[in-house]
Amino acid sequence: MTGERVALVTGGSRGIGRAVSLSLAKAGFHVCVNYVSNEQAAEETLSAMAAQGGKGEIRPFDVRDEDAVRAAVDGIIRDRGGIDVLVNNAGIWRGGLILRVDRRAWDEVLETNLRGAYNCCRAVIRHMMKRRWGRIINMSSLVGEAGNIGDSLYSLSKAGIIGLTKSLAREVGSRNICVNAVAPGWIETDMTSSIPEEIRRETLEMIPLGRLGTPEDVAGVVTFLASEAAGYITGEVIRVNGGLYM
């Protein structure tokens, strides 16, 4: 890989995605921050990147829309000369016991979390194969491996991410493209801020490290996987959960 390194982070304006964007920018990547609706958050992330000396831009598109994804990826390749790293972070959560989950929730979760990652992988992979270098990091979850009551849809989507990761790693390994998944556990984000205090206490008692994770904990792992140092790691699921699931 030569020249300026370029990374595309989907859902890169908030939570874990924001931390990943900032970490990659600090590591020297030109970061394309994707968002679908919250332009203000994306602009704030871009400003935070610039404040620490990083470079980047915002790229709005919906990962569910294959044509929009392809147009955005083609635009980045045209404007920046390529995409070296793709971080598939965009995702949503819809909870509920399986008997109470409706078709609309199914469509929303699977279209965003699973099809969105699939669309983005397809859009970048031919370009990476031609360059014979690439890193794809897919965001899975602890519940994609362990499951959880009331999380059947989310677990399904994140387990699918693991299957996608392992299969794609086998398909493109000969072209020097590494494909890995990161599986966060309980991370301090907007999604977990509303957890009842009793459940939070019970969860902390089960975590060997005794705390919830931070977005920065996850971002550090993603940044390592995006680096040259991770060039012999592919098809792996890296758990970032404080030991909650081993």
Side-chain angles (χ1 to χ4, degrees), residues 43-124:
E43 290 286 1
E44 289 172 354
T45 299
L46 197 62
S47 295
M49 287 162 49
Q52 65 179 19
K55 296 186 293 182
E57 60 193 86
I58 56 175
R59 291 278 178 164
F61 62 87
D62 189 337
V63 296
R64 298 173 299 178
D65 185 334
E66 184 176 8
D67 291 338
V69 170
R70 188 166 298 282
V73 166
D74 288 347
I76 294 169
I77 292 170
R78 180 185 63 246
D79 297 342
R80 308 306 316 179
I83 296 177
D84 301 291
V85 176
L86 167 66
V87 182
N88 279 310
N89 172 75
I92 62 172
W93 177 85
R94 297 287 184 270
L97 299 174
I98 196 165
L99 291 175
R100 298 177 182 174
V101 173
D102 59 22
R103 176 62 183 271
R104 179 178 179 182
W106 166 278
D107 289 343
E108 288 176 344
V109 171
L110 271 294
E111 286 287 301
T112 302
N113 297 5
L114 198 49
R115 184 176 179 181
Y118 176 80
N119 285 341
C120 292
C121 287
R122 278 176 54 88
V124 304

